[in-house]
Amino acid sequence: MFDPLETILLTVGPNDESRLDELGETVVQVAKPTGATVVITHVFTPDQFHEIAEELGMPDLVETEVDEVLERHESVRHFERLFDEHGVHYEVKGVVGDISDGIVSIAEETESDRVVVSGRTRSRVGKAVFGSTAQDVLLNSPCPVTFVKATD
């Protein structure tokens, strides 16, 4: 019997700014008809977290307050607008630490049924070569992973 999709983990990284529309459209195509909740996540390295907190004028935040930074992050706001427009339920969850491990941990914690990651095309013939983060997530995720290849 087919298990319904209840939770989709949408991962957003620092290099995803140019592919937010592709990621969002991919997730809406699955989440909207299934009624799945989308967990928008961004895993920050400690240095990235402190740098972004400083840029947002919140330099005293500690890493356990990552969701406050994430909720003000432009990529998250982009997805919130898109999902509100399409009536897709979502949550925001961030973590500070190793990126691949953080994604897998959030997938486990939220009991995600699907993880959505992105990457870029690196060769001239358009063959997708997974980066180390995407590859680690593909190999270690507790659920199926959808890889959205960037067209840039």
Side-chain angles (χ1 to χ4, degrees):
M1 179 167 201
F2 179 74
D3 290 329
L5 288 175
E6 294 179 7
T7 306
I8 299 171
L9 182 65
L10 170 58
T11 64
V12 186
N15 299 321
D16 289 335
E17 286 126 13
S18 66
R19 51 187 92 107
L20 295 179
D21 289 334
E22 293 168 272
L23 283 165
E25 290 170 15
T26 299
V27 171
V28 166
Q29 289 175 3
V30 177
K32 188 173 181 176
T34 63
T37 296
V38 178
V39 178
I40 306 166
T41 192
H42 191 305
V43 179
F44 298 97
T45 65
D47 289 342
Q48 289 171 336
F49 172 78
H50 294 295
E51 181 180 317
I52 290 172
E54 182 82 32
E55 288 173 10
L56 293 172
M58 301 163 31
D60 297 329
L61 284 182
V62 293
E63 293 176 3
T64 56
E65 299 171 303
V66 66
D67 289 346
E68 291 183 40
V69 169
L70 193 56
E71 288 173 1
R72 295 178 61 184
H73 202 275
E74 184 53 40
S75 61
V76 171
R77 289 181 173 174
H78 175 86
F79 291 125
E80 288 175 336
R81 288 187 296 268
L82 177 67
F83 297 154
D84 284 342
E85 178 182 319
H86 288 279
V88 172
H89 184 262
Y90 61 87
E91 301 170 6
V92 176
K93 183 153 188 60
V95 70
V96 177
D98 177 80
I99 295 173
S100 302
D101 291 343
I103 292 169
V104 171
S105 292
I106 292 173
E108 291 170 346
E109 179 184 324
T110 60
E111 298 181 0
S112 294
D113 301 299
R114 174 76 44 108
V115 174
V116 177
V117 297
S118 73
R120 61 190 174 278
T121 300
R122 295 183 180 178
S123 71
R124 293 182 187 187
V125 294
K127 183 179 180 186
V129 177
F130 301 128
S132 61
T133 298
Q135 183 173 343
D136 286 348
V137 172
L138 285 164
L139 294 173
N140 297 307
S141 176
C143 60
V145 176
T146 298
F147 181 81
V148 178
K149 182 176 76 170
T151 57
D152 51 18

